Amino acid sequence: MDILLNIKVDKLTMKSDTSVRHCFGTRGLPVPPCPLRTFHGVLVNQPIPTRSQELRSTIHPDGELILSLDDVPVPEPAAGEVLLRVLAAPVNPTDLGLLLGPADLAAARQEEVAGRTVLRAPVPRQRMAGLRQRWGVPLSVGIEGAGVVVAAGAGAESLLGRTVAGMADGMYNRYRLMRARDCLVLPGGTDARDGASAFVNPLTALGMVETMRREGHSALVHTAAASNVGRMLQRLCQRDGVPVVHIVRSATQAQALRDAGADHVCDSSADGFREALQEALDATGATLAFDAVGGALTGQVLAAMEAVAGRKLAAYDRYGSSTPKHVYVYGTLDVRPLEIPRSVGLAWSAAGWLMPRFLDRIGEAATQALHRRVVDELGTTFRSDYGQLVSLADLLNPELLKRMAERKTGAKVLVEPQR
């Protein structure tokens, strides 16, 4: 039965205040003016259940992954916190990694346990040692999402009733407690579906361009460029006049990017890929890459950069060109080890790149500026496309999980926890 959260009050009656307030306390963005009811303690604007459902992923020491919808209490927000009724949360590659781990989905099955449905899947024995810290620990899944604030603690009252996006573990939940400062207020009238992916992909695309500028490059290379973040990056760079070499895995993907206005698109599955990549690098001058694939492709990109730089050498140099070349690996679509051939010379480097750590390095002021741009261009540059809308219970369907694990272009899933 739905009841109101316990409300801390000094008097038996609530004090009504219809004055209009403004707030700038959330991600540094202005909150539109709104009439508020005010009273001491927690502010609530609708009936809220005492219990919720949350999707959890557990890997047990006996080598089994279990996905379950667990019954959990709905928490009460403290000062500076809000309770979000989650309406939409995307499934990002990073979510899939936590959700499924290395489980063998070909052997996944649903079972009824104590009156509830769970999904079981075996985990290869050789992968268990690297997962020791996960053994027996139920992990909350879903790194971002959007919804409506239905309760607010002291200092966060201005967010009550607002549609906000948030980035925090555990968004595959009907109700999620959030710090007010971690919420991004969406423009009035924005559907939660449109704001659900306002963090990971937009900030990744912006982070790539910002990294390029801060490190003195003028162009970049992006692999798996037909992905959601790849299409965002294409629109962003087209808008900002940044040359990009887009690497995709099929002729269909290549044509889709060209139709969207991309100038330099290379299909890694095509004959002549190496030559086409070199010509694109020569045209753009790109010496920085963001690689979502890994494996042999990382080295192929570096080798192509070195081949282009070598054309400009006045004489033979046993160490290759002195032009710095760098690849940031931020994904593992190819789970094999990185392959770097000797032909890359000695003026190269490769490292990992993670958006949250990049934001930590650039600081709060610069991060807020990126958030402002996301909000301003949420329906254009940073729009997201989804192939399927699903419920929390659907995430226990083995067939759906198998399709999601394929990570096919255009098949991104959006979870709607209130379904």
Coordinates of all heavy atoms in Angstrom, one line a residue, residues 22 82 135 149 164 166 173 176 227 269 281 288 295 299 314 316 323 343 401-402 405:
H22 N 14.1 30.8 -6.8 CA 15.1 30.4 -7.8 C 16.3 29.7 -7.1 O 16.5 29.9 -5.9 CB 15.7 31.7 -8.5 CG 14.7 32.5 -9.3 ND1 14.6 32.3 -10.6 CD2 13.8 33.3 -8.9 CE1 13.6 33.1 -11.0 NE2 13.1 33.8 -10.0
V82 N 17.7 14.0 -2.5 CA 16.4 13.9 -3.1 C 16.1 12.4 -3.4 O 17.0 11.6 -3.5 CB 16.3 14.7 -4.4 CG1 16.5 16.2 -4.1 CG2 17.2 14.2 -5.5
W135 N 32.7 -11.8 -5.4 CA 32.1 -13.1 -4.9 C 31.1 -12.8 -3.8 O 31.4 -12.2 -2.7 CB 33.2 -14.0 -4.4 CG 34.1 -14.6 -5.4 CD1 34.0 -14.3 -6.8 CD2 35.1 -15.5 -5.2 NE1 35.0 -15.0 -7.4 CE2 35.7 -15.8 -6.5 CE3 35.6 -16.2 -4.1 CZ2 36.7 -16.7 -6.7 CZ3 36.6 -17.1 -4.3 CH2 37.2 -17.4 -5.5
V149 N 11.7 14.1 -9.2 CA 12.0 14.2 -7.8 C 10.7 14.2 -7.0 O 9.9 15.1 -7.2 CB 12.8 15.4 -7.5 CG1 13.0 15.6 -6.0 CG2 14.2 15.4 -8.1
V164 N 14.8 15.4 -13.6 CA 16.2 15.5 -13.5 C 16.9 14.3 -14.1 O 16.3 13.2 -14.1 CB 16.7 15.8 -12.1 CG1 16.0 17.0 -11.5 CG2 16.5 14.6 -11.2
G166 N 20.5 11.9 -13.6 CA 21.5 11.7 -12.5 C 22.4 10.6 -12.9 O 22.1 9.7 -13.8
N173 N 16.2 0.7 -10.7 CA 15.5 0.7 -9.5 C 14.3 1.6 -9.7 O 14.3 2.6 -10.4 CB 16.4 1.3 -8.4 CG 15.9 1.1 -7.0 OD1 14.7 0.9 -6.8 ND2 16.8 1.0 -6.0
R176 N 15.3 5.9 -6.5 CA 16.8 6.0 -6.2 C 17.1 7.3 -5.4 O 16.7 8.4 -5.8 CB 17.5 6.0 -7.5 CG 19.1 6.2 -7.4 CD 19.7 5.0 -6.8 NE 21.1 4.9 -6.8 CZ 21.9 5.5 -6.0 NH1 21.5 6.3 -5.0 NH2 23.2 5.4 -6.2
S227 N 28.4 4.0 -33.2 CA 27.7 3.8 -31.9 C 27.0 5.1 -31.5 O 27.1 6.2 -32.2 CB 28.7 3.5 -30.8 OG 29.6 4.6 -30.6
S269 N 36.3 -3.3 -42.4 CA 36.1 -4.6 -43.0 C 36.3 -4.6 -44.5 O 36.3 -5.6 -45.2 CB 34.6 -5.0 -42.8 OG 33.7 -4.2 -43.5
L281 N 44.0 10.2 -42.5 CA 44.9 10.8 -41.5 C 45.7 12.0 -42.1 O 45.9 13.0 -41.5 CB 45.8 9.8 -40.9 CG 45.1 8.7 -40.1 CD1 46.1 7.6 -39.7 CD2 44.6 9.3 -38.8
L288 N 45.8 11.8 -32.7 CA 45.2 11.4 -31.5 C 44.0 10.6 -31.8 O 43.2 10.9 -32.7 CB 44.8 12.6 -30.6 CG 44.0 12.3 -29.3 CD1 44.9 11.6 -28.3 CD2 43.4 13.6 -28.8
G295 N 42.4 -4.6 -29.3 CA 42.9 -5.7 -30.1 C 43.9 -5.2 -31.1 O 44.7 -4.3 -30.8
G299 N 46.9 -0.9 -32.8 CA 48.1 -0.9 -33.5 C 48.0 -0.4 -34.9 O 48.9 0.3 -35.5
A314 N 62.7 14.0 -44.2 CA 63.6 14.4 -45.3 C 64.6 13.3 -45.6 O 65.1 13.2 -46.7 CB 64.3 15.7 -44.9
Y316 N 66.0 9.1 -44.1 CA 65.7 7.9 -43.4 C 66.1 8.1 -41.9 O 67.2 8.6 -41.6 CB 66.4 6.7 -43.9 CG 66.4 5.4 -43.1 CD1 65.2 4.7 -43.0 CD2 67.5 5.1 -42.3 CE1 65.2 3.6 -42.1 CE2 67.5 3.9 -41.5 CZ 66.3 3.2 -41.4 OH 66.3 2.1 -40.6
T323 N 57.1 12.6 -34.7 CA 55.8 13.1 -34.5 C 55.1 12.3 -33.4 O 54.9 11.1 -33.5 CB 54.9 13.0 -35.8 OG1 55.6 13.8 -36.8 CG2 53.5 13.6 -35.6
S343 N 56.2 -1.3 -36.6 CA 56.2 -0.3 -37.6 C 55.7 1.0 -37.1 O 55.6 2.0 -37.8 CB 55.3 -0.7 -38.8 OG 54.0 -1.0 -38.4
L401 N 19.0 -10.6 -23.1 CA 20.4 -10.4 -22.6 C 21.4 -10.8 -23.7 O 22.4 -10.1 -23.9 CB 20.7 -11.1 -21.3 CG 19.9 -10.6 -20.1 CD1 20.2 -11.5 -18.9 CD2 20.2 -9.2 -19.8
K402 N 21.1 -11.9 -24.4 CA 22.0 -12.3 -25.5 C 22.1 -11.3 -26.6 O 23.1 -11.0 -27.1 CB 21.5 -13.6 -26.0 CG 21.7 -14.8 -25.1 CD 21.0 -16.1 -25.7 CE 21.0 -17.2 -24.7 NZ 20.3 -18.4 -25.2
A405 N 24.1 -8.3 -25.4 CA 25.5 -8.6 -25.3 C 26.2 -8.5 -26.6 O 27.4 -8.4 -26.7 CB 25.7 -10.0 -24.6

